[in-house]
Amino acid sequence: MLLEVRDLHVEFHTRDGVAHAVNGVDYGVEAGETLAVLGESGSGKSVTAQAIMGILDMPPGRITAGEVLFKGQDLLKLKEKDRRRIRGAELAMIFQDALSALNPVLTVGDQLGEMFTVHRGMSRRDARARAVELMDRVRIPGAKERAGQYPHQFSGGMRQRIMIAMAMALEPALIIADEPTTALDVTVQAQVMDLLAELQREYRMGLVLITHDLGVVADVADRIAVMYAGRIVESAPVHDLYKAPAHPYTRGLLNSVPRLDRKGRELDAIKGLPPSLLHIPSGCPFHPRCPMVQDVCRTDVPPLYDVTESDADRGSACHFWRECLRG
Ligand SMILES: Nc1ncnc2c1ncn2[C@@H]1O[C@H](COP(=O)(O)OP(=O)(O)OP(=O)(O)O)[C@@H](O)[C@H]1O
Ligand code: SF4
Ligand SMILES: [Mg+2]
């Protein structure tokens, strides 16, 4: 396994109390595999990513338990100097907002070039040539001329391509992309996502793709991890999960997307709001919103059960996953 997150716990100490943002997350990504991480706002997707990358705000954040094994090594145990070496070179991140992630006072060519001068010891001239190559690779028209421009002179879609180029520059083994297309127009979203998927395949990178967009997931991901209140509630190969979700929350997410094969049916959005992370409900954290709730759900926390009815590696944190699978 390229990346394996085990039993990760992150909390934030706030004025109102302790927010339990990540409560025992387990997920893994193989080389060349895309894992989509899905879940409502506030479910802990970004905080998990930040803990993996070593860029969590600490304080107020605190990692209270868990391991982040990257190529078998626990990143949480490394010194900051060693983490920094891995970040960028082996493990890179793409953010939603390129404008704040890129340096506004450096030209794009200089920023990309810096990856090669700093990490690879190249001359400025060679580094600039590599920067232009990369801009070509992410299909920025007129790369040579545009390398001399600043981030604000590019459109949102082009900026996102530049951020992909930055992340790809040192050919990392794993990229974490946190809602990489959310801020873009729908047509541009599809182009940027296609580019990312193409590069991921070409370089056989592992990709953790955090997204709200179930449509995107079906096209590009191998596996899905669904998060709720800082936990993984379902983990499965994409096609198995689409065919028959094994968790009522996943079913709710699928039902809230319009699908061609369900024309005419009312959209069934999930009722209620995500829980406060200061007071996570007892038992199954989804129980106040769950259409299948039983008494046991209010008292007993469901573990991530092995969904043994399928051959694939599949898990569901629902006491009634069998009933859910049968629809
Ligand atoms: N710097 C912080 N200080 C205090 N609490 C924080 C901080 N960052 C995150 N949190 C808490 O962690 C929770 C999870 O945040 P996270 O950003 O991981 O959600 P998300 O799943 O990425 O949501 P979204 O889809 O909106 O990006 C937040 O609801 C918030 O309570
Ligand atoms: S454990 Fe109970 S409340 Fe939780 S998802 Fe399953 S049926 Fe619903
Ligand atoms: Mg987020």
Side-chain angles (χ1 to χ4, degrees):
M1 197 70 85
L2 179 63
L3 172 77
E4 208 177 343
V5 178
R6 286 194 191 151
D7 196 32
L8 184 70
H9 290 252
V10 182
E11 53 187 42
F12 289 93
H13 289 250
T14 69
R15 248 184 303 150
D16 303 325
V18 180
H20 299 275
V22 176
N23 301 297
V25 162
D26 292 283
Y27 65 56
V29 193
E30 308 267 15
E33 188 183 60
T34 297
L35 170 76
V37 180
L38 212 76
E40 282 164 299
S41 188
S43 56
K45 305 179 297 294
S46 297
V47 169
T48 302
Q50 288 156 9
I52 295 168
M53 286 300 293
I55 55 170
L56 197 64
D57 277 335
M58 299 198 285
R62 211 156 74 89
I63 297 175
T64 53
E67 291 177 312
V68 175
L69 301 174
F70 180 66
K71 297 185 173 174
Q73 188 175 38
D74 187 357
L75 297 182
L76 300 182
K77 294 212 174 81
L78 290 185
K79 294 204 178 70
E80 182 50 33
K81 156 170 82 68
D82 297 319
R83 286 211 86 168
R84 222 175 298 135
R85 201 163 40 220
I86 290 178
R87 202 156 53 225
E90 292 236 57
L91 189 60
M93 187 146 176
I94 299 171
F95 300 90
Q96 177 178 326
D97 179 10
L99 204 52
S100 61
L102 297 170
N103 186 336
V105 299
L106 273 187
T107 66
V108 162
D110 283 346
Q111 270 177 83
L112 283 168
E114 235 176 33
M115 300 296 286
F116 300 107
T117 52
V118 172
H119 290 271
R120 295 282 186 264
M122 280 188 189
S123 69
R124 284 201 51 169
R125 215 189 132 130
D126 290 350
R128 171 55 73 112
R130 287 299 297 278
V132 171
E133 255 174 57
L134 264 175
M135 289 173 70
D136 258 333
R137 187 67 197 76
V138 296
R139 297 199 281 272
I140 295 177
K144 196 156 181 210
E145 297 72 45
R146 299 212 73 183
Q149 295 185 334
Y150 294 88
H152 75 266
Q153 293 174 287
F154 290 80
S155 68
M158 288 297 151
R159 269 200 298 268
Q160 213 59 10
R161 286 166 193 268
I162 293 162
M163 192 146 55
I164 292 173
M166 292 277 283
M168 296 285 311
L170 305 175
E171 298 184 18
L174 180 79
I175 288 189
I176 301 179
D178 192 353
E179 315 250 8
T181 62
T182 305
L184 306 174
D185 294 343
V186 176
T187 44
V188 181
Q189 275 186 4
Q191 292 161 6
V192 171
M193 192 49 69
D194 286 347
L195 173 70
L196 186 59
E198 177 193 317
L199 292 169
Q200 181 267 334
R201 277 192 299 271
E202 187 179 323
Y203 292 91
R204 271 191 59 74
M205 289 181 304
L207 176 64
V208 176
L209 177 65
I210 298 171
T211 177
H212 279 113
D213 189 344
L214 265 159
V216 160
V217 169
D219 294 336
V220 303
D222 301 298
R223 294 185 60 84
I224 300 192
V226 180
M227 282 190 76
Y228 190 78
R231 292 190 180 95
I232 304 294
V233 294
E234 180 161 7
S235 156
V238 169
H239 297 291
D240 294 16
L241 182 138
Y242 271 74
K243 212 155 44 181
H247 195 286
Y249 179 62
T250 312
R251 185 149 74 193
L253 288 179
L254 291 176
N255 283 348
S256 57
V257 201
R259 275 171 52 162
L260 290 176
D261 54 335
R262 295 196 195 154
K263 235 189 208 149
R265 256 187 57 172
E266 275 282 298
L267 286 187
D268 245 338
I270 303 163
K271 292 184 179 62
L273 294 172
S276 155
L277 299 172
L278 299 171
H279 309 285
I280 294 179
S282 60
C284 171
F286 187 54
H287 85 251
R289 304 171 73 187
C290 182
M292 287 176 62
V293 62
Q294 308 273 330
D295 284 343
V296 62
C297 305
R298 298 189 180 92
T299 50
D300 295 14
V301 179
L304 194 66
Y305 293 106
D306 220 341
V307 174
T308 44
E309 284 182 8
S310 94
D311 297 332
D313 176 14
R314 209 177 159 176
S316 164
C318 172
H319 296 304
F320 301 99
W321 62 266
R322 280 197 178 81
E323 288 73 4
C324 187
L325 261 188
R326 291 192 196 109

